Amino acid sequence: MKLMVSQALLAGLMSGALTSATMAAELRPVLKAQQAPTPTLPAKAWERPTLRLTLPTTATQVKFSQDGEHLLTTDATRQTAALWNLTTGQKQAIVPAKAGFAFCDVALSADGQFAAALLYAREASSVPTKRKIELNVWNPKTGQARWTSPIRDHMIQGNQTTACQVEFSPNSQSLATSVSGLTFQSQPGVRLWSAVQGKLQAVTSSSVAAIGNLTFSRDSSMLGFSTLVDNQAQVHLWHLNDRKIQAILKVGEGKSPLGILAVQFTADQQDIIAYTNDGLFSKLYRWQAKTGKLKGTAALSPDRTDRFLGLSPDSETYVYGGDVTGFHIGNLRSNGSLAFPQGLQPDSSVSKVVFSPDGQQMAIVNAQTIMILQSQPSTLPPVSDALTSQIAELAALAAAPDANKTEVIQSLNRWLVKRVDRRSDYNPEDWPVKLESLLRDLPTQPQPHQKAQLIKVLDQVTAQIERIRDLQQQIVLLSNLPRYYQQLGASDRTTTTLTRAMQLSLKQPNALDRAMNIGALLTTASQLHQTASIAPFLSAIEAALVPLMRPGQVGRDPLLRLAQAYADTQQPTKALRLLDRVAVFSPSRGGDPVLARLYLQLKRLDQATPYLKALVKQPELLVEDSSYALLAAATDKLKHPLAQQIFNQGWKFANRSLFYTQEAFVNDYLKAGGNPSRVRK
């Protein structure tokens, strides 16, 4: 009996469906005492769902397109995959399975360029023989094949049920696949493929079983999946850039296996959640994605007749139910549920519910039809009560009658300026920038009026800052606004505030403050790809900085940033002139990663190489920022003979640093165009 129950739980863990799972109408959080309560909001978006259309078919697998206008399905026999146009209700393309094979799972890329399927051989010549499994990728609109690859080294025997999953990353560049049998056998890990080229790029750790619930973070940087290790259900987080496990998240206690119904990143990518069931009770687990720290659990009120049917991408809305209690749309934030309207109830044969990527549609797979329901426009305010309160607080600060009061300036700093403190006991979370937190709490795709509201408030904040008499304080506050405007898509304000801050910095009478301000703004301009907007100021900046370039004065770093700006605006002669001036005070024997990189960028290998040779001979050097990662990438681009040594040195330094991790080194290195093969080594 125990084996039969375990197999049922494993089936739920791999497929995301659970035949005996329990999801009831109310959620009772049991979170840690120190956590703030989540605002409770009514789930009105699905209060009165309407029927968009009914497709005259059923399916074993269903996936929406990114725009919610197409549906990819596999038929009940698993012999054909079809792309349906949800505007016309007609099939747009049909792809048959390879002879002797059946569709196991399908997926659509977010850019609409690829469809993918795992197929398995329906028969095996003998019981011990492994099943043949293939990954096929095609053009979803035409059905034309793109590439095919066999899945090797799997452990699915001929007499076992095949469970598998295929998912595209949100950026459509990668494809993840998992294949498992309903046993406790150890399996190869999740395979990661290039969606365009069809090349196998990586395989996650082995010694796991029953892999399922593949999920990517929305920025495509992490992959999560559920599995069993030593008969204990776990969620593994795999970092795609450095190709290693970032965290192992355990559910349950001891070694009693739980069926994992669903795994999903929250919309803001900060957390990852898992829905579990032990055959009687259901529970929600929530971890911090970056650290793997458990943030809390929530018990779900059980009814043994209910089944979990589907989870929305908002990580809050789900569908559950059964013949006894009926079918319901639950909402975690409101701690409540809504019944389906008359005539739109799933029938007793419903096998699954799949939501569209925006969470505004659901496909209900019944015995003979697929109903496509859509939500009504939400009657919620544009942001939550908590966000509305924060925006009102910022607006009140912008309207304060006296911008020069100490408490007003302190509050503006709290809202806009990141605290810099490198004490070993300093935790950045202890001093969050309030505007950064507010922007993180916005919906993933905020409505235009939401953005407009915040931009208007920031315009008022900008005007308030202009009234501050302390020039240095005014510059510091104004310098932090461009990045927030850019996050809201207000590129015109980004440029305006950046150039205004630069104008004020050039007027700063204190030479050292002036150099520091200008250096910071040059960095901001580079990061926001706004260097061209400050090009008219570069000559004035040089005139302000060059007199400071002497021993005992600051000025070296700002001059290097200015040289970078000259290089980025296609003025190599001016950039080289500055580098040579800096080199007088930074001899090559001391090594200088920034100076070396800029010489490489300007194709001056003769001047860069002495610095590179000095750098690889300095085991005592510590790097606390991205300079070494950028240098390693630059040597790779030019195929410099010291490229491997520079990479190795940077990796070693990052390992010893308190403030710059190896993970950050790899991210910066790859982002700057470094060679991925060095990372894999």
Side-chain angles (χ1 to χ4, degrees):
M1 176 61 70
K2 181 178 180 181
L3 178 59
M4 292 175 63
V5 172
S6 296
Q7 287 181 340
L9 290 171
L10 284 173
L13 182 147
M14 290 183 290
S15 67
L18 192 68
T19 58
S20 63
T22 59
M23 279 279 181
E26 295 195 359
L27 175 71
R28 293 193 293 270
V30 187
L31 299 175
K32 293 185 178 180
Q34 65 268 28
Q35 287 187 287
T38 302
T40 57
L41 295 172
K44 291 186 177 180
W46 283 99
E47 192 172 37
R48 291 180 297 276
T50 58
L51 179 66
R52 180 177 183 182
L53 79 162
T54 299
L55 300 179
T57 185
T58 187
T60 54
Q61 299 295 334
V62 173
K63 297 289 176 67
F64 275 95
S65 63
Q66 181 68 26
D67 62 5
E69 294 303 314
H70 293 84
L71 199 70
L72 181 64
T73 67
T74 56
D75 67 5
T77 65
R78 297 181 180 267
Q79 289 303 289
T80 61
L83 184 70
W84 296 80
N85 185 314
L86 297 184
T87 300
T88 65
Q90 302 297 313
K91 292 180 182 178
Q92 184 169 323
I94 300 175
V95 176
K98 179 180 176 180
F101 280 72
F103 284 100
C104 188
D105 192 27
V106 292
L108 280 169
S109 64
D111 62 7
Q113 299 301 307
F114 304 99
L118 284 172
L119 298 96
Y120 62 90
R122 287 180 290 171
E123 296 181 2
S125 58
S126 60
V127 169
T129 303
K130 294 179 180 180
R131 287 184 181 271
K132 293 181 179 179
I133 298 178
E134 289 186 355
L135 173 61
N136 290 349
V137 175
W138 68 91
N139 183 316
K141 295 182 180 179
T142 65
Q144 182 178 4
R146 291 186 180 270
W147 56 270
T148 298
S149 180
I151 303 290
R152 304 184 185 278
D153 302 323
H154 53 80
M155 298 294 291
I156 309 305
Q157 305 300 327
N159 62 334
Q160 295 176 4
T161 301
T162 303
C164 59
Q165 191 175 356
V166 56
E167 289 292 337
F168 282 97
S169 60
N171 63 10
S172 302
Q173 298 302 303
S174 300
L175 191 65
T177 62
S178 67
V179 180
S180 300
L182 299 185
T183 70
F184 291 99
Q185 288 179 286
S186 177
Q187 306 287 343
V190 178
R191 294 168 173 82
L192 194 70
W193 310 77
S194 165
V196 178
Q197 300 173 340
K199 294 182 179 180
L200 181 62
Q201 297 177 321
V203 181
T204 62
S205 305
S206 298
S207 302
V208 296
I211 302 169
N213 293 301
L214 304 183
T215 181
F216 284 93
S217 61
R218 300 203 178 188
D219 64 0
S220 301
S221 67
M222 286 187 289
L223 171 70
F225 56 90
S226 58
T227 187
L228 283 178
V229 177
D230 295 331
N231 204 30
Q232 183 183 48
Q234 298 181 354
V235 175
H236 288 194
L237 293 184
W238 203 58
H239 202 280
L240 298 182
N241 286 337
D242 54 17
R243 307 289 172 83
K244 68 179 182 181
I245 289 290
Q246 177 165 316
I248 295 177
L249 316 173
K250 297 181 180 180
V251 299
E253 298 178 359
K255 294 192 175 182
S256 174
L258 292 171
I260 297 183
L261 316 180
V263 176
Q264 193 163 276
F265 288 91
T266 55
D268 62 6
Q269 303 188 133
Q270 299 301 307
D271 297 336
I272 188 166
I273 59 175
Y275 291 77
T276 68
N277 183 269
D278 62 3
L280 292 175
F281 301 103
S282 298
K283 185 178 288 188
L284 166 76
Y285 287 78
R286 190 181 190 107
W287 300 271
Q288 187 180 58
K290 185 176 181 180
T291 64
K293 180 181 179 182
L294 181 65
K295 297 181 70 173
T297 62
L300 304 178
S301 180
D303 185 303
R304 298 184 187 184
T305 64
D306 288 339
R307 290 173 288 140
F308 171 80
L309 296 173
L311 172 68
S312 169
D314 66 9
S315 303
E316 295 177 358
T317 308
Y318 57 94
V319 177
Y320 69 98
D323 295 338
V324 176
T325 64
F327 295 91
H328 306 273
I329 304 171
N331 185 275
L332 299 177
R333 181 171 291 201
S334 67
N335 298 348
S337 65
L338 303 166
F340 282 87
Q342 190 69 28
L344 299 183
Q345 280 271 353
D347 64 36
S348 59
S349 65
V350 61
S351 61
K352 65 177 62 180
V353 171
V354 177
F355 285 85
S356 60
D358 63 3
Q360 300 305 303
Q361 297 184 87
M362 66 170 75
I364 301 175
V365 183
N366 293 314
Q368 297 181 334
T369 64
I370 300 176
M371 291 194 303
I372 308 297
L373 305 188
Q374 57 189 7
S375 66
Q376 292 284 7
S378 176
T379 57
L380 295 176
V383 290
S384 73
D385 291 342
L387 287 177
T388 302
S389 175
Q390 291 182 65
I391 294 174
E393 179 186 339
L394 182 57
L397 183 61
D402 187 354
N404 292 282
K405 281 192 173 182
T406 301
E407 56 268 27
V408 173
I409 293 176
Q410 288 178 343
S411 294
L412 286 170
N413 273 279
R414 186 76 172 83
W415 270 96
L416 302 176
V417 182
K418 185 178 290 293
R419 178 182 178 187
V420 178
D421 191 335
R422 294 205 163 184
R423 294 174 299 154
S424 60
D425 61 345
Y426 168 60
N427 181 356
E429 293 183 359
D430 294 337
W431 188 269
V433 181
K434 296 188 71 173
L435 189 52
E436 286 185 1
S437 299
L438 187 153
L439 291 174
R440 280 198 301 267
D441 289 341
L442 280 177
T444 305
Q445 295 180 335
Q447 297 299 313
H449 70 274
Q450 296 174 349
K451 286 187 175 182
Q453 180 186 15
L454 262 175
I455 291 171
K456 181 178 180 180
V457 172
L458 286 188
D459 289 346
Q460 295 167 350
V461 169
T462 302
Q464 182 75 298
I465 292 172
E466 290 277 8
R467 300 185 190 102
I468 297 175
R469 289 188 292 270
D470 185 324
L471 182 60
Q472 179 60 19
Q473 186 64 72
Q474 189 182 46
I475 293 169
V476 169
L477 290 169
L478 202 61
S479 298
N480 282 273
L481 279 170
R483 66 181 71 254
Y484 300 124
Y485 273 127
Q486 182 135 313
Q487 287 182 56
L488 291 167
S491 57
D492 56 337
R493 268 92 161 177
T494 302
T495 301
T496 300
T497 51
L498 184 64
T499 54
R500 177 58 176 157
M502 185 63 77
Q503 289 172 337
L504 292 175
S505 294
L506 288 168
K507 295 178 181 178
Q508 168 63 264
N510 184 291
L512 299 185
D513 285 343
R514 182 171 63 242
M516 293 177 63
N517 295 335
I518 289 173
L521 286 168
L522 287 169
T523 299
T524 299
S526 177
Q527 292 172 343
L528 301 182
H529 305 289
Q530 286 274 336
T531 302
S533 68
I534 62 169
F537 300 102
L538 295 184
S539 295
I541 291 172
E542 182 174 354
L545 295 180
V546 167
L548 297 177
M549 192 59 227
R550 56 182 183 270
Q553 294 282 351
V554 297
R556 171 193 171 279
D557 288 344
L559 276 175
L560 288 177
R561 292 169 190 167
L562 177 59
Q564 179 75 70
Y566 275 137
D568 291 344
T569 54
Q570 310 306 314
Q571 301 181 73
T573 302
K574 293 183 178 180
L576 278 171
R577 185 180 69 240
L578 282 178
L579 293 185
D580 291 342
R581 181 182 290 273
V582 174
V584 172
F585 300 100
S586 298
S588 60
R589 64 178 179 274
D592 190 318
V594 178
L595 191 57
R597 177 182 58 80
L598 285 169
Y599 272 132
L600 289 174
Q601 182 178 343
L602 295 167
K603 305 296 190 299
R604 297 306 299 264
L605 273 68
D606 55 330
Q607 289 164 283
T609 298
Y611 287 94
L612 298 177
K613 289 181 178 179
L615 284 167
V616 298
K617 295 178 182 179
Q618 297 190 57
E620 75 284 355
L621 181 66
L622 282 178
V623 179
E624 306 294 356
D625 55 30
S626 63
S627 59
Y628 225 105
L630 301 181
L631 175 62
T635 57
D636 271 329
K637 289 178 181 178
L638 295 177
K639 295 182 172 55
H640 196 282
L642 294 175
Q644 183 66 55
Q645 289 175 266
I646 291 293
F647 177 88
N648 293 343
Q649 198 83 319
W651 175 264
K652 180 174 63 177
F653 294 158
N655 184 48
R656 294 166 51 198
S657 173
L658 292 175
F659 307 106
Y660 191 64
T661 65
Q662 288 180 320
E663 177 184 355
F665 173 82
V666 170
N667 286 340
D668 290 334
Y669 168 75
L670 293 176
K671 189 182 296 184
N675 184 357
S677 64
R678 297 200 195 281
V679 178
R680 286 194 287 271
K681 291 177 183 178

